[in-house]
Each structure stands twice: as C-alpha cells, then as structure tokens.
Amino acid sequence: NSEYGVTMGGGLVDTLAFGPDGAVFVPPLLVVYGWADANDDGFVDGSKQRESEIRVLHNGRAILRACAEQPCALVDARTGLPEDFGPGSPFRPGLPEACCLLADVVCGPTSEICPDDFSFPAVTVPGNRLFFEADSFSEYSIGELLCVEAGKPQLKLIGLDRPAGQQKLLLKGAMTLPHPFDPVLDPVADGAQLRVRDAAGDELLLVDIPAGAFDKATGQGWKGNRTGTRFTWKSRAGVDGITKVAVLAGNKKAPALVRFVATGKTTSVAPVVAGQLPLEARLLLDPEGGATGQCGDALFDVDSGRACKLDGKAKKVTCK
C-alpha cells in the first residue's frame, strides 16, 4: 500500500508515501534513499536540487538538517549502512536518527568513517545517499526547504572592487508566514541565518546570526519587545561583516506579515560579474535545521518581475 512519486519542480525531488497509515515499528525501520548525479555537478540529475541541501520532511516538518550539515559519522563496510549517525543526529529531541553520505567512502584501516581490516581490495561505500529511521508509515518528502517568496525585496552589494572585508550589504523585504506562528518567532532564542547566492547557486555570503540577548559588554545580541513583534540584533564588531538585523512580526491588519532588514559594513563578497546575475538572498529565522519553513527568499529572476544590475565599473550590484 505504499506510493512513490517524483517531482522535479521547485525544491522538491521525491515524495514517499508509505502505507498502511499508522503502522508502528519497534525498533524503527531504516529507510535508505539514493539519488543520481552522473555528471558530478552537485545537483540531483533532472532537477535544480543541490545535493548538499537535501532534507527529509515528515508530514511537512524537517527531520534532517541539510545533508552537508549532518554527515554520517561511522559506516559499516560490509553493509554500507550507518553504525553511528553522528553528533548532529537527531537535530532536535524526539526526532528520528538521520544522516547523509554525499560522496563515496573508501573503507580501510585508516578510514575514520569506514574502518575496514578485512577486505582486499578496499571496499568503496557509495555516496549520494541519505538514511533515516521511521517508526511509523506516513508521508515523507525529499528535497530542499521551501521558503516563501519575499515581497518588495531589495539587495545591494557595494564596494565589490575593494579588498575582501570592505563590502557593504543591504537586504530588506517582507514575507507572509503561516499564522499563528508555530513555533512562536523568537530570534533571541533561535538566531537567524543570511545567505546570498549567484545565478548558478554558488554562495557569495553565508552568515549565521547567533542567538542570545544583547550584552552591553560585547555590544552584541538581540533585543525584543514585550509583545514579541519587534526584534533587533546589533553587533559592534560585526559577524562576518553583518552589524544589524531587524525583524518586525505582524500588525493588526496583516498579522502574518514579517518585515526584515539586514545591513553589513565590512562583509566579504568576491567581485561579481554580469554572468552571475541575477542574485538571490534568503533570511532564515529557524537556522536549527529550518524545520518550520519560517524563511523568505528575495528573488530577482525574470519570473519574479525584478532584476539585478551591475554598474559599469563592477563596483555595485543593485537588485530590486
């Protein structure tokens, strides 16, 4: 009674529906999922899905961090299955064990991931696979976390002709998230993540904004109002050049609307050429695995009706 479907659009690669619904397994089953990447370009064949960002979602909630963030720690050379899912698994209490192998692993006496003292020639355990435990049958999705598209986004990168660490950044927009917020938005406890990519999907900037209340001594941290609708993070020294992030959550007319602004004065962004446009940016308010989908994508491609422009001297990119 199980179903298997493949969807190549957006960030979803596969959907798996195991049945009958409600069947419970003690101990849990180990599900192994593999994908093809014949040209080894880092993307699942036939899709726009980056292998490094594949996740498993169970009934709409992530149970696996992005694959690159949750590698298997120890693999059995005989079976090719994980013996140790690694210190990052599970990434939240109550979630199943899960891990990824993004590349082939050659087993041998000196291998930390796949020790093997009995095989000759050496055994190679194939990569492009993820593993997760399932204690019941229901629907699973394989793919990248899908974020809502931000409204009226704007992205500026200034000083691209200067040495690394002297670039300025401005990112702003608004996203409409499922409401009531579940869980409650709380950057003070969860932090945030900021990402900028080029048209090929290569990262130009990836910054984890740490959680924690504002500390006068360090000049860094979050401040929030009593109603949980306004949060501001500041850093005197900057984190990867980012010095301020503001999140304004909801109002009476639009309670699901979340506006955001991020600025940086000493970020490190490599020079950008016209062939890398358009850029895209993401603000993630649930960096611990992105389980809730509380994130927004600032898109500037043709479909969005927006665009990015590089000035004549390649000093500044403006996207709006």
Side-chain angles (χ1 to χ4, degrees), residues 36-110:
D37 180 14
N39 60 359
D40 197 28
D41 65 351
F43 290 82
V44 177
D45 288 349
S47 80
K48 297 180 180 180
Q49 172 64 59
R50 295 173 67 93
E51 297 169 25
S52 61
E53 294 199 357
I54 289 179
R55 303 170 187 259
V56 180
L57 289 88
H58 182 215
N59 295 331
R61 289 294 184 92
I63 62 172
L64 174 73
R65 281 190 183 93
C67 259
E69 300 174 23
Q70 201 161 332
C72 300
L74 189 65
V75 176
D76 189 320
R78 296 177 177 86
T79 64
L81 302 177
E83 290 188 318
D84 184 346
F85 288 89
S89 176
F91 75 79
R92 283 184 176 168
L95 293 179
E97 297 277 9
C99 68
C100 273
L101 278 181
L102 284 175
D104 295 353
V105 177
V106 178
C107 304
T110 60

Side-chain angles (χ1 to χ4, degrees), residues 2-302:
S2 300
E3 299 178 4
Y4 174 79
V6 180
T7 305
M8 293 303 182
L12 185 64
V13 178
D14 290 333
T15 57
L16 315 173
F18 299 118
D21 256 0
V24 178
F25 301 95
V26 181
L29 298 176
L30 180 66
V31 178
V32 182
Y33 174 83
W35 60 89
D37 180 14
N39 60 359
D40 197 28
D41 65 351
F43 290 82
V44 177
D45 288 349
S47 80
K48 297 180 180 180
Q49 172 64 59
R50 295 173 67 93
E51 297 169 25
S52 61
E53 294 199 357
I54 289 179
R55 303 170 187 259
V56 180
L57 289 88
H58 182 215
N59 295 331
R61 289 294 184 92
I63 62 172
L64 174 73
R65 281 190 183 93
C67 259
E69 300 174 23
Q70 201 161 332
C72 300
L74 189 65
V75 176
D76 189 320
R78 296 177 177 86
T79 64
L81 302 177
E83 290 188 318
D84 184 346
F85 288 89
S89 176
F91 75 79
R92 283 184 176 168
L95 293 179
E97 297 277 9
C99 68
C100 273
L101 278 181
L102 284 175
D104 295 353
V105 177
V106 178
C107 304
T110 60
S111 173
E112 295 182 1
I113 299 177
C114 187
D116 177 12
D117 294 321
F118 58 85
S119 296
F120 185 84
V123 173
T124 299
V125 173
N128 293 356
R129 294 186 301 159
L130 62 82
F131 311 86
F132 63 94
E133 292 186 340
D135 56 12
S136 64
F137 275 169
S138 55
E139 182 176 289
Y140 295 84
S141 300
I142 312 294
E144 184 177 355
L145 177 71
L146 295 178
C147 299
V148 300
E149 183 175 344
K152 297 182 179 179
Q154 184 176 347
L155 172 65
K156 289 184 179 181
L157 298 175
I158 301 171
L160 296 172
D161 60 327
R162 301 170 187 167
Q166 296 184 24
Q167 287 71 51
K168 295 181 180 181
L169 172 143
L170 169 67
L171 172 65
K172 62 181 181 179
M175 49 190 175
T176 301
L177 301 178
H179 191 271
F181 303 130
D182 181 19
V184 174
L185 291 181
D186 189 2
V188 180
D190 299 329
Q193 187 183 81
L194 173 65
R195 185 183 77 188
V196 179
R197 283 182 172 170
D198 66 12
D202 294 326
E203 284 179 356
L204 301 180
L205 188 69
L206 180 64
V207 182
D208 288 312
I209 304 299
F214 185 79
D215 184 332
K216 290 183 179 180
T218 62
Q220 178 173 298
W222 290 90
K223 292 181 180 180
N225 63 358
R226 293 182 179 180
T227 57
T229 58
R230 186 183 296 268
F231 302 91
T232 303
W233 177 86
K234 292 183 179 181
S235 175
R236 186 188 305 146
V239 172
D240 292 331
I242 302 300
T243 53
K244 184 177 180 180
V245 177
V247 178
L248 289 78
N251 54 52
K252 291 182 179 180
K253 293 183 178 180
L257 185 68
V258 178
R259 292 172 290 163
F260 59 87
V261 179
T263 56
K265 297 180 179 179
T266 56
T267 58
S268 292
V269 180
V272 174
V273 298
Q276 292 176 273
L277 303 181
L279 306 182
E280 63 178 46
R282 170 175 289 184
L283 180 71
L284 180 64
L285 295 177
D286 183 18
E288 186 62 29
T292 65
Q294 291 177 334
C295 53
D297 285 335
L299 303 178
F300 305 98
D301 56 10
V302 174

